[in-house]
Amino acid sequence: MTSDVRSHLIGLLLGAEEDWPRAFEAILRMVGPIQAGGKTHTLEAERVRIAPFDLTDDVRHGLVIDRLAYWYYHPREWLKKASLMNNTYLLNSPFTFQAMEKHSAYCAMLRLGMKIPKTVLVPYKNPVDNVRWAYTSGKYNDPFDLEAIAEEVGYPLYMKPFDGGGWRGVSRVDDVAKLHSAYDDSGSMLMHLQATVEYEHFARALSIGPETMVMDFRPGEPMHSRYAVTHDFLSSKAGWETQTVSKVVNAFFGWEFNSAEMLVQGNEVYPIDYANACPDVAVTSLHYYFPWAITALVRWSTYCLVTGRKNPIGLRSPNAYFDIADNADMDYDEKMHAYRALADSELEAEKYWQWCEDHLSHLPDRVLEWVGSKEFDTLIVDTVRATYPEHEHEKFLAHFRGLTGLWAADQQNLRAPQA
């Protein structure tokens, strides 16, 4: 008796990206078919088109990776319909986009006792576009002293939009003159003032399902050089905590494809940004880490579809986390370990890794072979030509070929028999 065949379609809802979707499609072709649960599972990807839709239209996609709906409302509403009406699994859910404005994430992690730098939300510099503004602000808005708030936060500080996004509107403020200049420039953006922290390392963690990669991030460098390839740049304690912060944030909000930024001084970890509807996965920035990121995205998508993992709508109940936060008998480290256990359970980490061993153990070797192929090199060439001016092509081709080649060499060394 032959097993039933289940076909799974992954939708890619895209903006201007081309590199990682090509990589995702290539790696997904290496996955199946998968024999699991008495069934044969096949998977393919499709780039989602945008068109009028009836609310009762069928949705063929079992899972959608969304890179567009954070700012484009028509596909956002299609995703909501697909989730509510058709049980489509979403990475990430549009029902939590409000929380992905950094403010909500700060509040939640402060509630859990994490070391968030002092942060103050100040009113708009310019009035919002609403005819009721003048009356409401005149009657109810309290006057405030911006300089006094900045003094309390402490110089230097950062002024940045409450909703974040691509380093938009971020200013380092060293004195009163820069404070007023940055606030004047903020216009109609709603801004946080946030204390800075003396740090040794700026860590950026990319989490995809239960997988997390912590990278040495250099925000002052051009994008192609921001992710430094420096292994073990954090102590074991700080490395574990940066991973934990990223995992806990994701499990708390139900995000499964997100990046987190933390400042690290010795063993002290200070989360500063950790809510990103469209985390960076471009080959021109991730380079060395690009093969891992796309492989992880394929693995998690495949796992969710084949195992029938349920994607809850909206935020999960935070009560289990709050119970830990309110436990006066636990110190900070004990609470972080308890949060991590909750996060790993929510993301099914142990089950996931065993499932990958059982069904996708061939994938790392196939990806390694692909990174050395003509197909992958063509992806790099096409991306460089589309991204940089012609006179810089050779420089950047050498740069990205070198870094992805280094990844391949490191992977081969890991697989080599030990003497």
Side-chain angles (χ1 to χ4, degrees):
M1 181 177 176
T2 59
S3 62
D4 294 334
V5 176
R6 291 284 308 276
S7 298
H8 303 280
L9 182 62
I10 297 172
L12 305 181
L13 187 56
L14 305 172
E17 303 145 304
E18 185 62 34
D19 54 349
W20 80 260
R22 285 173 60 179
F24 183 93
E25 291 158 350
I27 295 175
L28 186 66
R29 289 193 290 269
M30 306 171 194
V31 163
I34 292 173
Q35 304 295 329
K39 295 179 171 56
T40 299
H41 297 265
T42 63
L43 298 100
E44 62 179 319
E46 173 185 86
R47 301 188 185 196
V48 178
R49 307 291 301 178
I50 298 167
F53 62 91
D54 189 295
L55 302 193
T56 61
D57 285 346
D58 189 36
V59 173
R60 298 177 298 113
H61 309 90
L63 180 147
V64 175
I65 300 172
D66 165 47
R67 304 283 291 181
L68 186 60
Y70 189 67
W71 61 269
Y72 196 175
Y73 290 172
H74 184 280
R76 178 189 297 192
E77 300 315 306
W78 177 79
L79 286 173
K80 291 177 181 176
K81 167 264 187 300
S83 176
L84 289 166
M85 295 285 291
N86 308 97
N87 297 318
T88 301
Y89 201 101
L90 305 180
L91 302 183
N92 283 305
S93 169
F95 296 102
T96 65
F97 279 175
Q98 181 66 41
M100 279 190 149
E101 293 171 341
K102 312 298 184 185
H103 183 79
S104 299
Y106 286 150
C107 293
M109 295 306 107
L110 277 167
R111 177 71 169 81
L112 300 191
M114 291 189 187
K115 300 168 186 175
I116 313 304
K118 184 176 179 62
T119 305
V120 178
L121 184 73
V122 296
Y124 299 97
K125 169 64 178 181
N126 293 340
V128 297
D129 184 15
N130 190 297
V131 295
R132 292 163 289 194
W133 166 260
Y135 177 85
T136 300
S137 61
K139 188 173 179 65
Y140 297 111
N141 280 24
D142 285 336
F144 67 98
D145 187 334
L146 183 65
E147 294 181 17
I149 294 172
E151 285 291 341
E152 184 181 356
V153 172
Y155 293 104
L157 58 86
Y158 281 87
M159 185 179 293
K160 53 188 180 179
F162 85 108
D163 54 351
W167 298 83
R168 167 182 56 88
V170 177
S171 300
R172 178 183 168 96
V173 176
D174 295 299
D175 52 38
V176 171
K178 290 182 179 178
L179 173 72
H180 287 289
S181 176
Y183 190 52
D184 290 345
D185 290 344
S186 69
S188 59
M189 292 187 290
L190 188 59
M191 307 299 280
H192 280 136
L193 304 186
Q194 188 171 74
T196 191
V197 174
E198 293 297 326
Y199 66 93
E200 295 173 295
H201 300 286
F202 192 124
R204 192 169 205 183
L206 177 60
S207 287
I208 300 168
E211 301 194 43
T212 296
M213 181 69 69
V214 178
M215 295 166 281
D216 187 0
F217 195 62
R218 312 288 175 86
E221 295 293 320
M223 185 56 75
H224 65 272
S225 295
R226 286 186 181 176
Y227 292 90
V229 183
T230 50
H231 307 304
D232 300 321
F233 65 100
L234 299 176
S235 69
S236 59
K237 183 178 188 302
W240 180 88
E241 190 165 327
T242 54
Q243 272 200 348
T244 297
V245 168
S246 190
K247 289 174 180 287
V248 169
V249 167
N250 289 357
F252 185 95
F253 285 106
W255 302 333
E256 298 173 2
F257 186 19
N258 185 39
S259 59
E261 296 173 359
M262 289 146 281
L263 303 179
V264 182
Q265 177 71 32
N267 288 329
E268 300 296 315
V269 177
Y270 302 92
I272 59 167
D273 269 328
Y274 37 84
N276 195 333
C278 295
D280 182 13
V281 285
V283 69
T284 50
S285 50
L286 287 189
H287 45 73
Y288 180 93
Y289 301 101
F290 180 76
W292 163 78
I294 308 308
T295 302
L297 195 54
V298 168
R299 274 195 292 244
W300 181 243
S301 299
T302 301
Y303 171 84
C304 291
L305 285 170
V306 176
T307 64
R309 176 176 162 86
K310 300 301 182 184
N311 192 186
I313 296 170
L315 296 181
R316 296 163 171 84
S317 171
N319 290 337
Y321 291 93
F322 291 163
D323 288 344
I324 295 168
D326 296 339
N327 188 335
D329 294 328
M330 299 176 73
D331 64 20
Y332 175 80
D333 287 339
E334 290 171 331
K335 289 180 180 181
M336 291 299 288
H337 278 83
Y339 296 146
R340 173 71 172 261
L342 281 178
D344 283 340
S345 175
E346 177 61 44
L347 294 167
E348 302 178 4
E350 184 176 351
K351 178 184 175 183
Y352 168 77
W353 285 115
Q354 184 59 57
W355 192 91
C356 289
E357 178 63 28
D358 293 341
H359 300 287
L360 297 176
S361 59
H362 66 287
L363 198 57
D365 286 338
R366 293 289 305 277
V367 172
L368 176 58
E369 180 182 348
W370 176 70
V371 170
S373 71
K374 176 65 175 176
E375 181 183 355
F376 183 76
D377 191 66
T378 300
L379 184 154
I380 290 179
V381 171
D382 291 346
T383 304
V384 166
R385 288 176 176 172
T387 306
Y388 302 102
E390 185 174 359
H391 70 277
E392 294 185 332
H393 286 177
E394 289 305 315
K395 177 182 76 172
F396 282 110
L397 283 173
H399 181 72
F400 297 122
R401 282 170 172 162
L403 287 165
T404 54
L406 176 62
W407 176 86
D410 286 348
Q411 296 302 305
Q412 288 170 339
N413 289 336
L414 289 173
R415 289 162 171 74
Q418 299 300 309

